[in-house]
Amino acid sequence: MADSLGDVLRTRVRALLSTARIGQFAGVGFVGATVDTLALFLLVEAAGLGPVVAKTIAWEIGIVVIFAINERWTFADYGTVGLRPLGRRFLRSNLVRFAGFLVTLSALAGLVYGFDVWYLAANVVGIGVGFFVNYTCESLYTWKVHRD
């Protein structure tokens, strides 16, 4: 017999509430946010790109760094070993993080163009909001921690 919806939800919430994993994910996120923000700054200031275009490029650079660290540390005990499963997780991670990216990009664009907030400050706010979307989706979809 299949688990009830309540059982399924409880299992997933319990998996998400791992303080060790949240701490690791936040630490990795901090590294990724630093890479993202530095790339954003360089792309705007040195390359002359607009904040939205620069953010799109900076985001993918940060995603590669974050995925590599999460794969080897935060979620090292999850997922099948091998090049093909690794590639699938990387693609899933990009798809999952796209939702967080849309949240971050929306915050950045809204704050920069709607409220004249400095683009780097707007980026930090967007990253903070996107963190919760990313943690939930990465945990449950990319690495499937609830299948422990």
Side-chain angles (χ1 to χ4, degrees), residues 58-104:
W59 170 73
E60 186 58 33
I61 294 167
I63 291 306
V64 170
V65 170
I66 287 169
F67 178 82
I69 298 170
N70 274 332
E71 178 71 19
R72 301 292 287 160
W73 186 44
T74 312
F75 300 104
D77 296 334
Y78 300 93
T80 306
V81 176
L83 193 54
R84 178 172 253 148
L86 176 67
R88 280 195 301 265
R89 280 193 301 279
F90 181 72
L91 289 174
R92 273 197 312 261
S93 182
N94 265 270
L95 289 171
V96 162
R97 285 189 174 270
F98 189 68
F101 169 68
L102 291 177
V103 169
T104 303

Side-chain angles (χ1 to χ4, degrees), residues 36-58 108 112-113 118-120:
D36 175 288
T37 303
L38 179 60
L40 176 62
F41 175 77
L42 292 172
L43 290 166
V44 170
E45 300 301 327
L49 298 176
V52 172
V53 172
K55 175 60 184 178
T56 304
I57 297 166
L108 179 129
V112 167
Y113 298 116
W118 184 41
Y119 72 94
L120 291 178

Side-chain angles (χ1 to χ4, degrees), residues 21-39 55 58-59 61-63 65-67 69-70 73-74 97 120 123-132 134-135:
R21 192 176 317 108
I22 291 170
Q24 288 174 308
F25 194 84
V28 172
F30 180 78
V31 171
T34 301
V35 168
D36 175 288
T37 303
L38 179 60
K55 175 60 184 178
W59 170 73
I61 294 167
I63 291 306
V65 170
I66 287 169
F67 178 82
I69 298 170
N70 274 332
W73 186 44
T74 312
R97 285 189 174 270
L120 291 178
N123 188 54
V124 170
V125 170
I127 288 171
V129 174
F131 170 84
F132 297 102
N134 288 331
Y135 176 70

